[in-house]
Amino acid sequence: MHADLSRLTHRPERHYSAVVAQQGRVQLDADANEQTAIQLFQARTLAADLIGPHGGPRGATGFRIALRGGSRELDDLVIGGGRYYVDGILCDATRPQPGVPVPAHGTADTGKEGKEGQDGGDGEPAAPPATWTYWDQPDGFRDPERPGDRLPTAFPYLVYLKVWERLVTAAEDPALREVALGSALPDTAARAKVVWQVLPLPAAALGLDSGDPTVDEVRAAFARWAEQAAAPGSRLAARSEHPGAADDEPCLVAPDARYRGPENQLYRVEVHDGGSAKDATFKWSRENGSVTFPVDGLDGTWVELATLGSDDKLDLDVGDLVEFVDTGYTSRGEAEPLLRVEEVDLPGRRVRLSGEPAPGVGRRPELHPFLRRWDHHESSRRTSGRGARDGRLRHGALPVEEGGWLPLEDGVEVWFAPGGSYRTGDFWLIPARTATGGVEWPTDPARRPLLQYPSGIAVHFAPLAWIAGEQTEPDLRLAFRPLAAGIPAADDAALAAEEEARAAESGDASYGSPYDASGPAPSRSQTTAAAEAAVDEEGTA
């Protein structure tokens, strides 16, 4: 999550149930964020325990898939509205409908006005789509011009749901900013967003490209694939070491400090290009990647920005490496080359980059493009001692080197475990503190740093449909019933009536009558017992 955070403190293995504030204490963002994380963890764990890995409420189960044929390469999928839970995370496929605008001056408010060319043929506006499709799903950003985005041309294939969570700041959603605070002040809180995408998976990827598998076989094959796809494949350790050239620098911190930075920082190490170690690259930020600059315009390599930063710590300088980002780029999880700032035009709030942004990125204002600054450099201008890594960038990012300590800056070092496989977007967070002169990282009793899997991105999967041909789409979703059910009548009058009816059927009207003091005490009727058993059975289904 790229945000201006002090650190993340939620540790599920410690089984904390709440954050309790104390009077007269400093309020930290980490405490409030941990309370939110605890509540989310508990709610989603409970939902997953009750529902299972995935499922939707009966009668409102979302993500029903139907194939809409067209020219073979431009087939489409209709995504039914409703709700679905994946590992306890709620996904809502309901398509919001537009509101009704105020009618133009002098026209009658019939509710049927529409723009020219947007009517249904009889002067009425065309009805808005009721459901999403594969091509217009809100966070899919599929492009028909990209062959890899098109649906498979060969049957069968599986359609699945991919779910993860990401952070949205005011740079991406300007409505989050409180304009009453003025433009000089920073934005306030960020938002966590559940992102879902409906994607195809060829049968060959599941080992089901031959034969006619059953629904259970398809679900089992997908579960194996999803487990492997979701499992992290890389580990990292971090430490702080006394830089070799620290004694030659002005003593701004304690002489024996291992972390030599002048301020507390939250370092973010993020995988840029994925793959094996020989292909993977990474980038890092001392501000958790939160230093961003909204883009107002793009002209070749010149980028017009809404602001150039509030101070020399959060600004852009010549030589800085930036990532051109927008909503579509983030949702697709792409890794385009980082660009270098070549020139800064302060009066015009413009910067010239070393190259044009990748096609399809930053050209659509409605996707809110912005630049994200990263803090590694080709030169040692902002690094010290072993932090200098001249001429070692690949597409603007640092190559992954396994099995050795790699310096970032100011004594902070990282170590990638050998044999890793890396995914674009995976990241680790390393808090560095001036008070201790070190970094906060788990260690063993001998104070050796422990290898850790990435803090994110946690991705979740669920199967939706097996597309075997047009109008042949076996449903792979699961549904659950509500736990609540009607309470059977159990008052005295109802019991007496049931006993009389049972006695009449047996030919002895006086047997068990509540008015016959000599008869046995009334017992629970078979009708009531059957009703209660049905409720128990339905509640545990």
Side-chain angles (χ1 to χ4, degrees):
M1 295 185 175
H2 305 87
D4 188 11
L5 309 175
S6 59
R7 57 177 183 159
L8 296 180
T9 58
H10 180 226
R11 302 292 183 269
E13 67 276 7
R14 296 181 182 176
H15 308 295
Y16 294 142
S17 59
V19 175
V20 180
Q22 302 184 80
Q23 63 177 349
R25 307 305 201 272
V26 175
Q27 298 297 306
L28 299 176
D29 65 290
D31 295 331
N33 293 336
E34 182 174 352
Q35 177 62 53
T36 301
I38 288 174
Q39 291 177 303
L40 273 178
F41 177 78
Q42 292 176 338
R44 289 172 176 175
T45 300
L46 176 62
D49 288 342
L50 294 176
I51 298 170
H54 58 90
R58 187 175 296 275
T61 308
F63 296 93
R64 180 177 179 83
I65 300 299
L67 178 64
R68 177 188 291 169
S71 59
R72 176 52 54 201
E73 292 185 348
L74 292 178
D75 283 352
D76 202 355
L77 299 173
V78 179
I79 305 170
R83 300 181 300 280
Y84 207 68
Y85 293 82
V86 182
D87 291 334
I89 302 174
L90 171 61
C91 304
D92 195 341
T94 304
R95 182 162 190 159
Q97 296 300 294
V100 179
V102 175
H105 181 69
T107 62
D109 186 9
T110 62
K112 297 182 179 181
E113 299 83 24
K115 294 182 180 180
E116 184 178 355
Q118 294 184 354
D119 56 60
D122 297 324
E124 297 184 4
T131 58
W132 298 107
T133 69
Y134 173 76
W135 291 112
D136 70 359
Q137 54 183 304
D139 291 302
F141 298 100
R142 303 292 100 182
D143 185 356
E145 300 299 324
R146 298 189 181 190
D149 284 356
R150 299 172 184 171
L151 294 172
T153 58
F155 298 123
Y157 60 89
L158 184 139
V159 176
Y160 68 96
L161 188 62
K162 179 181 179 182
V163 182
W164 74 98
E165 204 166 33
R166 68 180 184 88
L167 212 67
V168 177
T169 65
E172 188 175 347
D173 184 0
L176 297 181
R177 179 182 292 276
E178 174 52 75
V179 296
L181 297 177
S183 59
L185 293 179
D187 58 347
T188 55
R191 304 293 187 273
K193 177 182 179 180
V194 173
V195 179
W196 59 261
Q197 293 178 343
V198 172
L199 302 172
L201 183 66
L206 301 174
L208 299 176
D209 50 338
S210 61
D212 187 15
T214 66
V215 168
D216 289 339
E217 290 173 339
V218 173
R219 286 195 182 118
F222 180 81
R224 293 190 295 269
W225 177 88
E227 182 179 8
Q228 182 177 4
S234 56
R235 294 181 298 169
L236 176 141
R239 71 178 184 183
S240 53
E241 286 293 307
H242 192 74
D247 296 334
D248 300 330
E249 300 174 353
C251 188
L252 300 178
V253 295
D256 58 346
R258 292 166 293 135
Y259 168 58
R260 305 291 295 181
E263 298 183 23
N264 299 321
Q265 304 289 357
L266 181 61
Y267 285 89
R268 181 189 187 94
V269 176
E270 181 175 318
V271 176
H272 189 67
D273 294 296
S276 61
K278 64 182 180 65
D279 301 317
T281 60
F282 73 98
K283 54 205 174 189
W284 62 263
S285 164
R286 66 178 69 91
E287 304 285 350
N288 190 28
S290 64
V291 181
T292 58
F293 305 88
V295 171
D296 285 344
L298 175 63
D299 182 12
T301 60
W302 280 98
V303 182
E304 181 182 351
L305 303 176
T307 176
L308 284 172
S310 56
D311 55 40
D312 57 358
K313 177 173 173 267
L314 303 175
D315 64 357
L316 278 178
D317 293 325
V318 173
D320 285 339
L321 289 165
V322 295
E323 186 174 14
F324 212 108
V325 180
D326 62 20
T327 301
Y329 174 88
T330 302
S331 296
R332 291 180 62 92
E334 296 177 321
E336 298 293 346
L338 304 182
L339 303 174
R340 185 178 182 272
V341 175
E342 301 287 353
E343 185 178 349
V344 178
D345 175 15
L346 291 177
R349 296 198 317 273
R350 300 188 308 160
V351 295
R352 182 171 61 86
L353 304 179
S354 57
E356 289 193 37
V361 180
R363 272 74 173 182
R364 297 170 56 185
E366 67 272 17
L367 296 184
H368 305 293
F370 59 91
L371 298 181
R372 188 186 307 280
R373 192 190 78 186
W374 295 96
D375 294 322
H376 59 278
H377 283 75
E378 292 179 295
S379 67
S380 58
R381 180 172 62 88
R382 289 194 180 182
T383 58
S384 62
R386 290 174 291 173
R389 303 175 62 121
D390 297 339
R392 304 189 61 222
L393 300 184
R394 185 192 306 154
H395 300 151
L398 299 165
V400 168
E401 298 179 14
E402 297 180 332
W405 288 103
L406 307 178
L408 302 187
E409 68 171 3
D410 295 327
V412 180
E413 299 179 342
V414 297
W415 196 89
F416 290 96
S421 60
Y422 301 85
R423 298 179 305 192
T424 297
D426 281 354
F427 66 92
W428 296 263
L429 298 179
I430 309 168
R433 296 294 180 258
T434 58
T436 61
V439 299
E440 296 181 359
W441 192 265
T443 59
D444 66 1
R447 303 188 63 81
R448 294 175 299 181
L450 299 177
L451 292 168
Q452 300 288 301
Y453 287 110
S455 302
I457 305 171
V459 184
H460 310 266
F461 303 94
L464 298 177
W466 180 250
I467 308 298
E470 294 188 20
Q471 299 182 348
T472 308
E473 304 133 3
D475 201 337
L476 302 178
R477 300 172 302 157
L478 301 175
F480 58 88
R481 295 186 179 92
L483 295 177
I487 300 175
D491 54 31
D492 292 340
L495 290 174
E498 291 175 1
E499 286 295 319
E500 288 180 355
R502 187 177 65 82
E505 291 176 359
S506 64
D508 183 4
S510 64
Y511 175 79
S513 172
Y515 305 105
D516 183 2
S518 63
S523 61
R524 188 178 66 167
S525 69
Q526 294 178 353
T527 303
T528 301
E532 292 177 349
V535 171
D536 293 340
E537 181 180 357
E538 183 175 1
T540 58

